[in-house]
């Protein structure tokens, strides 16, 4: 019982930030919000992700989150300012 619970708790620390990333990504896709404001939200989310400590066995989830934050940032920067 303990190993699955432990795994769930560790992964939850990373995956809970995906909801916020999805919200920012939706704003980028819909063109809602100021570009600088969205970049600031992504920077803040990236700072939070950098502060998450996970065991090495679960580092891939954290790496994937940081990679997805960077992908959204690149998409936002690639869009022309309105």
């Amino acid at each position: 019982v303990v190993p699955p619970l432990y795994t769930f708790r560790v992964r939850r620390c990373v995956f809970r930030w995906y909801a916020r990333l999805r919200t920012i990504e939706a704003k980028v896709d819909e063109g809602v919000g100021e570009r600088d404001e969205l970049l600031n939200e992504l920077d803040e989310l990236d700072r939070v992700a950098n502060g998450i400590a996970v065991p090495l066995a679960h580092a891939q989830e954290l790496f994937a989150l940081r990679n997805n934050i960077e992908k959204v940032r690149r998409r936002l920067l690639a869009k022309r300012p309105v």
Side-chain angles (χ1 to χ4, degrees), residues 13 17-18 33 48 56 59 61 63 67 70-72 81:
C13 289
W17 296 106
Y18 271 102
V48 169
L56 188 57
E61 286 97 356
F63 180 76
N67 190 32
E70 187 57 34
K71 285 180 183 178
V72 173

Side-chain angles (χ1 to χ4, degrees), residues 6-82:
Y6 175 75
T7 299
F8 171 76
R9 289 182 57 114
V10 170
R11 293 180 80 192
R12 185 179 65 178
C13 289
V14 175
F15 290 154
R16 72 180 182 156
W17 296 106
Y18 271 102
R20 187 165 177 196
L21 180 60
R22 280 193 306 257
T23 301
I24 296 169
E25 186 175 21
K27 289 179 184 178
V28 170
D29 291 341
E30 296 168 5
V32 176
E34 294 288 324
R35 183 180 186 164
D36 290 338
E37 180 183 311
L38 294 173
L39 285 171
N40 287 338
E41 287 184 51
L42 286 169
D43 289 343
E44 181 182 339
L45 186 56
D46 200 26
R47 278 191 297 276
V48 169
N50 285 330
I52 298 172
V54 296
L56 188 57
H58 298 283
Q60 71 271 10
E61 286 97 356
L62 183 58
F63 180 76
L65 173 63
R66 294 181 63 210
N67 190 32
N68 287 325
I69 292 169
E70 187 57 34
K71 285 180 183 178
V72 173
R73 180 181 286 120
R74 278 189 258 135
R75 282 185 28 222
L76 177 59
L77 291 172
K79 287 190 170 211
R80 292 184 161 196
V82 178

